[in-house]
């Protein structure tokens, strides 16, 4: 009994950390899949790029932590905007097979480029001194960095949801997700909206990749290795939904952590089974439109 | 089925006398075209000549050759789903891997007969295909894509965790494969492996060719082109799709088993997303839904991979990725599509 509570706290804590990283990375994917009807399998590559850039700026150029992460996010966002205009938008609402081929190609390019520039080993992320160490809460030592990660995630989620509810861009995005043709009819420039949404999603992924380097190690195979988890969060949450993936991420994060703690021999098996069951019951996801 | 279609059409036309003769001749032309599609054309002998030629021309590359032949079967099985039925899958490695592990476990546990091993592997993959297909095909679009992906991930996790039986991440060791029909031993030069793979591929190709040209195959293409209309004419769409999925699963299982038997090894990679993805790429490079796409795309991809990956695997990933992006931008229909377009253009000008 005495072990019970600390174990639960530990699971909840690490589960929520995982969920925050998963959500930051996957939310943009939900928008591209739901709004643009585009299966962007290469979405994880933006997260990876964010991680690599941030770690390089930190380790090699000795930049302050916050500045390095900010700069990495800005660079990835800019690159994603170019890719969206040049490549992605030609395939919106097109054949799934073309989208799969295109984005699989981009994954391979990202694997090759990352190995060429940074080598095959995981990239270390130097955490600033103030965020190192741990705090003891109810008999468990919780790392400060992960607390910081959860706080960052919570702030970002709140900002994102507020922006969606309160800003003009948010209203346009919701309108387009609900009914694309109607949104166009009332004069919303959906092409520009798509570009903004895509860039925002990629930027958040880069942020998630950079901040979460400790949860998902930055390796060249990043985009492929974690793809299934990102897709699960989006599919279970509901395509096009901003909130759905958050609850899906929490579910995946906490279940995954709990299973690894109690029944490590089951591995990710249960998560996959749960995903299949949920998708059979709710084919459009828990909060899909 | 062809007969039914043409007779209804002439029946309707009889109500409008002036159109009757025109429709009748169109029906005759259609019937002629339908019966002609079964006939073999001289071009179809080319892949087999090339395969036999390669056996004599490149005796040092027979191991790669038999891998290519077995992988063509996998590409054919994916083509039946994607090209002919219009079901996009990102998890066909699930069935390939089931076949590979079935054959591998049989051979590692005292039953090394290759031919019966192949059949059992096909059966096992078909059963997995039937069960998973029944679940996967209930959903559509992106959700369906997700389901295929998750099924493969699920099986990979099973193979990984059942390390006691499968060897887990280290791969399955200790396969002993008996001679084919008790006569042809698998030699170290890979001659038997190559010819065995070629024979199995030939049987699978005949099977696949028969399937896609049959009335059943036509109904699959109908489902691909217009599901609503197929429902309207009374086709049991869901059952046809599931049958296609199961058949495709059996072919994928044979392919996996063949690779397991000829290499005497099964690793977790047979179930990986990379396997599901790369077979899609090979098929698309060759051309989807044209039966021979697999025969062009698989050798091109695997030979290029063998050449470049030995020099520098990093180089390989980067350039194949870039190539895929360009392919999707500029060359829909793959190599076969480009060839067809060239031939048509020449035919038009002359």
């Amino acid at each position: 009994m005495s072990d019970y509570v600390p174990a639960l706290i530990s699971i909840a804590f690490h589960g929520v950390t995982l969920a925050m990283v998963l959500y930051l990375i996957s939310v943009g994917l939900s928008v591209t899949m739901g709004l643009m009807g585009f299966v962007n399998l290469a979405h994880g590559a933006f997260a990876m790029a964010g991680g690599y850039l941030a770690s390089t700026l930190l380790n090699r150029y000795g930049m302050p932590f916050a500045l390095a992460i900010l700069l990495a996010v800005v660079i990835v966002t800019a690159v994603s905007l170019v890719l969206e205009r040049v490549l992605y938008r030609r395939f919106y609402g097109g054949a799934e097979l073309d989208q799969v081929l295109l984005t699989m190609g981009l994954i391979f390019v990202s694997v090759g480029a990352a190995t060429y520039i940074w080598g095959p080993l995981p990239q270390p992320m130097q955490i600033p001194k103030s965020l190192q160490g741990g705090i003891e809460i109810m008999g468990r030592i919780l790392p400060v960095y992960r607390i910081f990660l959860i706080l960052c995630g919570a702030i970002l989620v709140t900002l994102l949801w507020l922006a969606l509810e309160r800003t003009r861009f948010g209203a346009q995005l919701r309108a387009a997700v609900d009914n694309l043709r109607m949104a166009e009819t009332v004069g919303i420039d959906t092409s520009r909206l798509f570009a903004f949404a895509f860039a925002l999603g990629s930027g958040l992924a880069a942020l998630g990749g950079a901040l979460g380097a400790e949860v998902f190690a930055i390796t060249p195979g990043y985009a492929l290795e974690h793809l299934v988890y990102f897709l699960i969060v989006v599919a279970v949450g509901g395509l096009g939904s901003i909130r759905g993936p958050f609850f899906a991420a929490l579910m995946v994060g906490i279940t995954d952590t709990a299973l690894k703690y109690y029944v490590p021999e089951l591995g990710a098996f249960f998560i996959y089974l749960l995903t299949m069951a949920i998708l059979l019951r709710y084919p459009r996801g828990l909060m899909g439109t | 089925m062809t007969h039914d279609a043409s007779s209804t059409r002439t029946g309707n036309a009889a109500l409008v006398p002036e159109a009757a003769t025109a429709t009748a001749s169109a029906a005759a032309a259609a019937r002629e075209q339908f019966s002609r599609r079964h006939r073999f054309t001289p071009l179809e002998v080319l892949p087999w000549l090339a395969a036999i030629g390669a056996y004599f021309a490149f005796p040092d590359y027979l191991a790669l050759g038999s891998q290519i032949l077995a992988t063509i079967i996998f590409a054919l099985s994916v083509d039946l789903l994607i090209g002919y039925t219009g079901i996009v899958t990102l998890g066909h490695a699930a069935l390939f891997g089931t076949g590979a592990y079935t054959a591998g476990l049989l051979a590692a546990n005292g039953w090394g007969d290759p031919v019966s091993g192949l059949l059992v592997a096909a059966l096992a993959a078909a059963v997995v295909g039937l069960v998973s297909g029944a679940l996967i095909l209930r959903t559509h679009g992106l959700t369906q894509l997700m389901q295929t992906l998750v099924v493969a991930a699920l099986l990979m996790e099973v193979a990984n965790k059942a390390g006691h039986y499968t060897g887990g991440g280290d791969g399955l060791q200790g396969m002993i494969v008996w001679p084919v029909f008790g006569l042809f031993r698998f030699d170290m030069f890979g001659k038997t492996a190559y010819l065995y793979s070629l024979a199995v591929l030939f049987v699978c190709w005949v099977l696949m060719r028969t399937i896609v040209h049959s009335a059943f195959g036509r109904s699959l293409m109908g489902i691909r082109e217009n599901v609503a209309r197929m429902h309207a004419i009374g086709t049991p769409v869901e059952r046809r799709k599931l049958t296609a999925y199961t058949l495709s699963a059996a072919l994928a299982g044979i392919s996996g088993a063949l690779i397991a038997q000829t290499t005497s090894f099964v690793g977790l990679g047979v179930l990986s997303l990379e396997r599901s993805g790369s077979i899609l790429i090979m098929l698309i490079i060759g051309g989807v839904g044209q039966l021979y796409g697999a025969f062009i795309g698989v050798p091109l991809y695997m030979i290029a991979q063998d050449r470049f990956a030995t020099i520098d695997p990093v180089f390989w990933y980067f350039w194949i990725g870039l190539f895929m992006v360009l392919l999707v931008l500029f060359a829909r229909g793959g190599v076969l599509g480009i060839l067809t377009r060239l031939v048509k253009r020449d035919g038009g000008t002359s």
Side-chain angles (χ1 to χ4, degrees), chain B residues 58-314:
Chain B
F58 307 105
D60 297 337
Y61 290 98
L62 291 182
L64 174 65
S66 41
Q67 293 250 342
I68 291 177
L69 295 173
T71 309
I72 291 176
I73 301 175
F74 190 26
L76 283 176
S77 96
V78 175
D79 204 10
L80 183 62
L81 273 195
I82 294 182
Y84 287 94
T85 322
I87 302 168
V88 181
T89 167
L90 256 179
H92 224 48
L95 307 151
F96 177 87
T98 304
Y101 271 109
T102 308
L105 286 171
L106 279 177
N109 291 298
W111 183 256
D113 181 54
V115 177
S116 60
L118 275 188
L119 293 177
V120 176
L123 192 69
V127 170
V128 172
L130 184 68
V131 174
S132 66
L135 297 174
I136 288 168
L137 295 174
R138 281 185 194 197
T139 52
H140 301 277
L142 297 173
T143 315
Q144 190 172 68
L145 201 68
M146 271 305 300
Q147 293 285 44
T148 61
L149 198 80
V150 170
V151 168
L154 196 72
L155 287 183
M156 179 148 170
E157 202 58 28
V158 171
N160 185 25
K161 295 297 171 185
H164 181 65
Y165 303 100
T166 62
D170 298 331
L172 182 69
Q173 313 277 346
M175 279 177 67
I176 296 165
V177 184
W178 300 343
V180 183
F181 298 126
L183 294 172
F184 310 103
R185 266 181 356 100
F186 284 98
D187 54 305
M188 60 178 290
F189 306 107
K191 286 184 181 173
T192 311
Y194 188 88
L195 294 175
Y196 173 56
S197 304
L198 186 59
V200 176
L201 171 61
F202 186 77
V203 173
C204 290
W205 169 76
V206 170
L207 201 73
M208 177 78 180
R209 196 180 181 283
T210 313
I211 292 171
V212 299
H213 287 321
S214 69
F216 167 75
R218 292 279 140 169
S219 72
L220 294 185
M221 289 156 88
I223 292 168
R224 178 192 69 193
E225 293 300 323
N226 193 333
V227 184
R229 195 162 290 180
M230 291 308 276
H231 274 298
I233 65 169
T235 312
V237 171
E238 300 311 318
R239 212 165 62 215
R240 292 277 154 86
K241 277 169 136 179
L242 188 57
T243 313
Y245 202 87
T246 311
L247 283 170
S248 166
L251 278 177
I254 290 176
S255 169
L258 200 54
I259 287 187
Q261 289 175 346
T262 51
T263 57
S264 290
F265 178 77
V266 186
L268 279 181
V270 294
L271 287 164
S272 66
L273 176 57
E274 214 175 329
R275 173 86 55 174
S276 304
S278 63
I279 195 67
L280 262 186
I281 299 160
M282 293 183 221
L283 181 63
I284 292 167
I285 289 175
V288 181
Q290 301 166 79
L291 193 60
Y292 289 97
F295 287 83
I296 295 173
V298 174
L300 272 182
Y301 183 97
M302 290 184 69
I303 291 171
Q305 185 180 35
D306 184 66
R307 297 287 80 202
F308 292 125
T310 45
I311 305 169
D312 188 354
V314 176

Side-chain angles (χ1 to χ4, degrees), chain A residues 39 87 91 96-98 101-102 104-105 108-109 112 115 227 231 235 239 264-265 267-269 272 276 279-280 283, chain B residues 82 135 141-143 146-147 149-151 153-154 157-158 161 273 277 284 314 317-318 320-322 324 328-329 332:
Chain A
V39 194
L87 278 182
F91 298 94
E96 267 174 26
L97 197 59
D98 284 341
L101 186 67
L102 176 81
M104 269 294 211
F108 280 10
V109 169
T115 321
L227 177 64
L231 285 173
L239 300 177
E265 63 275 11
F269 184 82
Y272 298 140
M276 277 200 81
L279 288 183
L280 281 174
Chain B
I82 294 182
L135 297 174
L142 297 173
T143 315
M146 271 305 300
Q147 293 285 44
L149 198 80
V150 170
V151 168
L154 196 72
E157 202 58 28
V158 171
K161 295 297 171 185
L273 176 57
I284 292 167
V314 176
Y317 269 123
F318 185 81
I320 187 69
L322 201 62
M324 282 156 62
V328 105
L329 283 176
R332 307 265 176 91

Side-chain angles (χ1 to χ4, degrees), chain A residues 227-277:
Chain A
L227 177 64
V228 181
Y229 266 46
F230 301 152
L231 285 173
I232 285 178
V233 167
V234 171
V236 169
L239 300 177
S241 163
I242 303 277
R243 288 179 193 182
F246 182 70
F247 297 108
L250 274 181
M251 187 197 85
V252 172
I254 293 174
T255 319
D256 193 61
T257 314
L259 287 174
K260 278 181 183 149
Y261 188 87
Y262 286 114
V263 268
E265 63 275 11
L266 260 180
F269 184 82
F270 186 74
I271 298 268
Y272 298 140
L273 216 57
L274 192 67
T275 304
M276 277 200 81

